[in-house]
Amino acid sequence: GYRIAPLTDWDAEKLQFQEGGANDQVTLMARLEHDSWCQRKKEQGWRFGELKDPAKKTNPALLPWEDLPESERDKNKEFIRGLPELLARAGFQIETKSN
């Protein structure tokens, strides 16, 4: 229910997605981002491997969300939490599609 738009709200970087509970937006978006990343990597010929090796195109994070170690899930969640500030620095903001 969000979209990226040009920055018009100078407080846009303060946006916080709901976290925890039945409507945990942070986890949902982190999972979607991870799934999208996995798909792109696999399309480029990458596969799961115990070690990250660009020459062999292996990466230990190429797993379904449910199988990721909690530390890897936390990296994805932290990216989502920081997205409003990152986009604001680039001149964009996140807004609901109803705006």
Side-chain angles (χ1 to χ4, degrees), residues 34-79:
H34 175 73
D35 291 348
S36 176
W37 174 83
C38 283
Q39 182 179 346
R40 287 190 310 274
K41 286 294 195 186
K42 288 176 182 177
E43 288 170 357
Q44 296 169 0
W46 286 73
R47 58 189 168 76
F48 173 81
E50 293 295 324
L51 298 173
K52 182 176 180 181
D53 185 335
K56 294 180 181 177
K57 291 190 171 185
T58 60
N59 191 309
L62 275 170
L63 292 169
W65 178 261
E66 298 80 18
D67 297 336
L68 276 180
E70 198 63 35
S71 61
E72 286 296 317
R73 290 185 196 182
D74 288 342
K75 286 182 194 178
N76 287 280
K77 291 177 185 179
E78 194 58 36
F79 172 77

